Amino acid sequence: MNNPSITPNLKPANLGNVQSSQSAQLREGQLFHGTIKQLYPGEMAEVQIGNQKLNAKLEVPLKAGDSYYFQVKATEPELQLKLVSGPHAQGESQSAKIGSLLDTLQLTKTPEMRKLVDFFMKQQIPITRESLIAGEALLKQTSPGQQQEALQSIGKLVSLKLPITPQLFHAMMGIETKAGLQGVLDALQQAVSADSKIPATQKTDIQTILQQIKRPLLEANGGKLLAQTLSTALDKTAPPELRFQAVQLLKSAGILPAQTSLANLPTMLAKLVNSSQNTQVQMQTVEKQVAQQTNTTSSATGQSENAPKMDAKQLLTALQQATAGATKLPVGASAELQRITQQTDLPTGVKTQLTNFLSAHSQTNETASALLAKFSETLFNVATKQMLPSQNPAQSSANSNSTPLQTGMPALLQSVLDAQGGLDKLPALVKQAMQSNAPVIQSFLAAAEAATSEELSGSTIKQAIQSVLVKLGVHYEAGLASKELHISQIQDSLKPQLVALLQEGMAGTALREAAETVVSRLNGQPLQSTESGVQQQIIMQVPLHLQGKRIDTTIEWNGRMKEDGKIDPDHARVLFYLDLEALHKTVVDMQVQNKVVTLTIFNEDPTLKMLGAVLEDRLAEGLDAEGYRLSAVRFKQFQEEVITPTKSSISADSGTQGVDFRI
């Protein structure tokens, strides 16, 4: 079954990136079919190849109007052509032309060879005898159902001036057939586990990356799990054994120090916040702002509209600094902290609670450390509920101006991670929970995953896609060239790891073959992505694992570049080829014209239209929030072997040829 496709027509003007100069069009030894349009003195002639015309010198006099097969004899100082076969009469059959050419080239007239020559003739792509021989061998190894995709792949290799090798052919075929990466990654994982020849560290590195690819939301789940366990540990109404296991899980993942207990948990959290390097840098800035504000604000009001804003992390650190080495909070410091508390974005009820803590402290014998523990417990309860809004929707906007992580984590929790090693602690936390047999820990993990699923959104999917693409290392060569990323970041991805493995030559046969397959498939994406003037086509294959569901995704983006070199978001056509566990083969065709979006969804399930209508208003609202307008959503079923050519919505004013839309 053919899928919709926006792959450009296989013509020299599009795929081969042929320019007006003759030297850029053709190379010595290439064969092509052309028509003599006009004869000139000195054995020169105007020859038409497809929709292009060029001047060339002929070896023998030919007749205007006749068509021939030519071979490029030389390109400098002028294009020189050698007659291979012809002339071909206008009524001569395609089969006769193919037979004549194969006789001249002394090539066997196998079905695969005839099919290959026929394809190149119709697409008007210059070829060589060697290309035909190599292409025939690959066609013979291709199943009958994928012959058309194989021809397209060979044609692209020729037009891109790449050698026709099995590796490059399979790289192209993976994109042409829309075959996902899940299968080849599974095979690689099995081969890595079974191989005993590569070093243990190298095996571990590759296995870790493969696990990260299979868990693109590992950090998001880890953030929810951190909030879930910390909320339970701080909940004094929860059973003590439950709280104890929560603390032990956080300690085993290295998020809490080994000396942490239920009794000192709030104090230990406050110390971690204060020890965070980011906290120290931010507090220096805030202290300067507070000092400036104090000098310019009247003592009657203590604040103004321009007062510096502080978040929960900075408030807790300010309290800890004010109580450092003291048994009681100084009176002046108490007044200043009350003023600062009112300048935070905390919920009004929380501000009142903290202010009451400060007032009560000044009127009792309560120690400074006890006050710090109260502040810490209250603020961390707010932060954990912010990560788990379903538990307390009223506080889901608390601390909204905190500096967020990629996971959307409150700054207070981020500072704890910063103090203990950063984001790497979140995957470690999930791993510890998965390895635990305790029902309580498994319930924490299930609740965290449920919270992530509940908030699954466009930004979450975007994060997952970006995470997978980075870990696959599809464009790691570009990262090396740009020098924007550190070498350790680039090496921490699959492709460079596999390239190193293949270069070292220590892997067994099964692992080497699996690694070669994955590398060739990853190479296929940049090879299939093309650029022609302002027109660009970008192809990505993303194997997604979202909450236990496997999704094989191929994304084709076809659009144009603006004058500043950036992608034009107002005009584009994007196709998503999806292989879903429940809906199976699904294609989403999104066309954008002047920020007006039209969606066509192809799937065999007739009930999908009714189910999709429920989400249409939500989709329209989401697009509107981004400055786009939804025009229509259409649902269609696939139709076998029905080809409907249409022009790209952006081709009219781009000056390039359209695209084929195959259903």
Side-chain angles (χ1 to χ4, degrees), residues 468-650:
V468 171
L469 289 175
V470 169
K471 286 301 176 183
L472 285 174
V474 177
H475 302 292
Y476 97 97
E477 294 95 343
L480 287 173
S482 66
K483 299 181 181 180
E484 293 179 358
L485 299 176
H486 191 272
I487 186 65
S488 61
Q489 294 175 288
I490 297 173
Q491 288 295 329
D492 189 25
S493 57
L494 185 60
K495 186 176 175 181
Q497 287 282 347
L498 297 182
V499 170
L501 181 145
L502 293 171
Q503 290 176 343
E504 291 164 2
M506 298 177 62
T509 303
L511 177 55
R512 186 174 65 252
E513 291 178 352
E516 287 175 348
T517 299
V518 173
V519 170
S520 68
R521 290 293 303 277
L522 295 178
N523 285 337
Q525 298 179 42
L527 288 177
Q528 287 274 27
S529 300
T530 58
E531 179 177 353
S532 180
V534 297
Q535 291 292 105
Q536 273 205 343
Q537 184 182 60
I538 300 173
I539 297 179
M540 297 179 290
Q541 286 194 313
V542 187
L544 286 176
H545 293 253
L546 296 176
Q547 306 309 105
K549 302 294 184 182
R550 289 163 60 105
I551 304 173
D552 258 321
T553 310
T554 299
I555 304 172
E556 292 187 14
W557 180 91
N558 197 59
R560 64 185 181 190
M561 308 295 288
K562 297 189 293 185
E563 292 183 357
D564 59 2
K566 296 181 180 179
I567 290 175
D568 185 355
D570 299 347
H571 303 268
R573 186 177 185 184
V574 187
L575 273 86
F576 302 86
Y577 301 87
L578 310 173
D579 191 353
L580 308 173
E581 282 194 8
L583 296 175
H584 307 297
K585 296 291 183 182
T586 304
V587 177
V588 180
D589 177 14
M590 182 179 75
Q591 299 193 51
V592 183
Q593 184 71 14
N594 293 322
K595 287 202 167 184
V596 177
V597 179
T598 302
L599 286 181
T600 305
I601 300 172
F602 295 86
N603 188 272
E604 296 292 349
D605 189 343
T607 65
L608 195 60
K609 182 176 182 180
M610 180 180 64
L611 297 173
V614 179
L615 301 173
E616 194 168 327
D617 289 342
R618 184 177 174 184
L619 173 62
E621 292 173 2
L623 288 171
D624 184 68
E626 299 296 329
Y628 293 85
R629 181 171 65 85
L630 181 63
S631 173
V633 179
R634 306 184 182 97
F635 292 86
K636 296 183 179 181
Q637 290 183 309
F638 293 112
Q639 298 178 27
E640 295 281 352
E641 301 305 324
V642 177
I643 301 178
T644 306
T646 64
K647 289 188 177 181
S648 166
S649 59
I650 59 174

Side-chain angles (χ1 to χ4, degrees), residues 211 214-229 387-388 390-391 426-427 429-435 440-457 460 545-549:
Q211 281 298 113
K214 289 189 174 183
R215 292 181 174 273
L217 296 179
L218 203 60
E219 286 183 7
N221 285 339
K224 299 297 183 185
L225 183 58
L226 171 62
Q228 185 73 38
T229 51
M387 285 289 290
L388 304 167
S390 59
Q391 291 188 6
L426 295 179
L429 178 62
V430 175
K431 184 177 180 180
Q432 288 291 331
M434 292 176 63
Q435 293 176 346
V440 171
I441 302 302
Q442 291 302 312
S443 69
F444 289 159
L445 183 59
E449 291 182 344
T452 304
S453 297
E454 185 180 330
E455 299 177 5
L456 207 59
S457 62
T460 309
H545 293 253
L546 296 176
Q547 306 309 105
K549 302 294 184 182

Side-chain angles (χ1 to χ4, degrees), residues 58-122:
L58 307 176
E59 279 192 334
V60 295
L62 300 176
K63 182 181 177 182
D66 286 346
S67 61
Y68 305 83
Y69 260 103
F70 297 100
Q71 184 175 37
V72 180
K73 185 177 180 181
T75 58
E76 299 293 341
E78 58 190 5
L79 182 62
Q80 299 179 34
L81 301 179
K82 174 185 177 181
L83 177 63
V84 176
S85 69
H88 300 294
Q90 290 186 353
E92 187 175 358
S93 67
Q94 182 81 340
S95 178
K97 294 179 182 178
I98 294 173
S100 174
L101 176 63
L102 294 178
D103 286 338
T104 304
L105 296 177
Q106 297 181 345
L107 295 173
T108 56
K109 298 179 182 179
T110 63
E112 292 80 13
M113 184 64 80
R114 283 184 170 275
K115 189 179 295 184
L116 194 60
V117 174
D118 180 60
F119 174 80
F120 281 120
M121 288 178 68
K122 289 179 178 178

